[in-house]
Amino acid sequence: FRGLPPHAKYLFLGDYVDRGPNGLECMFLLMALKIKYPDQVWLLRGNHECAAINRIYGFYDECKRRYSVKLWKQFQELFNALPLAALVENKIFCIHGGLSPDMNTPEDLSQVVRPIDVPDTGLLCDTLWSDPDKDITGWAENDRGVSYTFGPDVVAKFLARNDLDLIVRAHQVVEDGYEFFGDRTLVTVFSAPNYCGEFDNCGAMMSVDANMTCAFQVLKPVDSSGARWGSGRPGTPPRNRKG
């Protein structure tokens, strides 16, 4: 895409496990890259980097079957210490889920003392679980049953208040791999094509060059005539194509 570390820097937005049968290989590779290239690789926390979620959606079973429950518990210690957000050149705010009514500035996240488990409500929960909704103004209940949805006006106010240009987040399946929201003030980037073997979505990666120009590389799904991966595990939740 843009080369490999150390010649390119990579920021990952979370949900490294529960996405298929090889969550351990995914984590081992990312951990090795982070150790070898600590200033070129960053890993943010997703909502599946949480014991209450990955206990149910596959990662616990994978660890228990292939190694041990002890390994799963050790991974939770790592997940509880992962950072929640990143700023690219103080202009692009990156996060797994979305905004929170308890967050006025990105610096508010510095109040979260890590390591920490994910609570059911509040700032930390919202950053991992909230979703944009083009049909609302302000905040509304999220049909996931967790956190909120927020309208384009919330994004615009957050960007203006903090002198930011763009919010980049993941967390939801989007058909083309990436999808803009709110007059291109926010973009959802979802890198897994053929999500859970249930969708024919593309995946995508986003790059930012030295001039802060964003570009996307789309990963096409495998069509029905080819080999399609599917783990048999459900998405979380499948309703409204959310992950």
Side-chain angles (χ1 to χ4, degrees):
F1 188 42
R2 291 281 179 178
L4 296 174
H7 306 294
K9 297 179 180 180
Y10 281 83
L11 173 65
F12 297 91
L13 300 180
D15 279 10
Y16 314 114
V17 300
D18 295 340
R19 308 291 82 178
N22 300 108
L24 284 167
E25 284 85 352
C26 180
M27 281 305 308
F28 292 154
L29 175 59
L30 291 173
M31 291 162 63
L33 288 171
K34 180 62 179 175
I35 291 169
K36 188 171 184 179
Y37 306 110
D39 296 325
Q40 283 80 35
V41 175
W42 291 271
L43 309 176
L44 300 186
R45 189 176 191 175
N47 63 304
H48 280 259
E49 282 72 61
C50 167
I53 300 299
N54 63 59
R55 172 66 178 83
I56 300 170
Y57 285 97
F59 190 55
Y60 172 87
D61 293 333
E62 182 181 351
C63 291
K64 182 179 180 181
R65 183 182 72 254
R66 300 176 61 187
Y67 290 94
S68 66
V69 174
K70 180 181 178 181
L71 178 64
W72 176 79
K73 291 180 179 179
Q74 290 173 323
F75 266 112
Q76 306 316 309
E77 295 179 14
L78 168 65
F79 295 157
N80 286 347
L82 289 176
L84 302 173
L87 275 174
V88 178
E89 297 296 333
N90 291 313
K91 285 297 183 181
I92 300 177
F93 182 57
C94 304
I95 202 162
H96 177 74
L99 300 177
S100 170
D102 295 327
M103 179 166 58
N104 290 312
T105 72
E107 287 72 28
D108 290 340
L109 291 172
S110 64
Q111 300 173 13
V112 178
V113 179
R114 295 177 282 138
I116 185 172
D117 201 359
V118 180
D120 294 333
T121 60
L123 175 61
L124 173 55
C125 175
D126 296 335
T127 61
L128 302 181
W129 283 97
S130 67
D131 297 297
D133 186 340
K134 63 182 177 59
D135 296 321
I136 68 168
T137 299
W139 300 90
E141 291 185 1
N142 196 321
D143 61 11
R144 295 177 187 268
V146 182
S147 187
Y148 303 94
T149 57
F150 51 90
D153 61 312
V154 173
V155 176
K157 291 174 183 177
F158 184 84
L159 293 180
R161 184 165 60 244
N162 294 287
D163 193 26
L164 297 169
D165 292 339
L166 179 69
I167 295 172
V168 180
R169 46 92 67 175
H171 195 44
Q172 286 178 292
V173 186
V174 287
E175 188 169 353
D176 296 323
Y178 69 97
E179 183 175 285
F180 281 101
F181 171 86
D183 196 26
R184 295 189 171 231
T185 56
L186 178 150
V187 63
T188 296
V189 181
F190 195 86
S191 62
N194 292 118
Y195 173 55
C196 284
E198 298 176 3
F199 298 110
D200 292 323
N201 66 289
C202 296
M205 297 182 289
M206 182 179 123
S207 68
V208 183
D209 67 15
N211 297 317
M212 298 298 289
T213 300
C214 300
F216 298 89
Q217 179 172 331
V218 175
L219 310 173
K220 296 291 185 181
V222 177
D223 62 31
S224 58
S225 64
R228 289 190 59 183
W229 170 82
S231 70
R233 294 175 182 149
T236 51
R239 181 175 55 181
N240 289 346
R241 303 173 70 87
K242 297 178 180 179

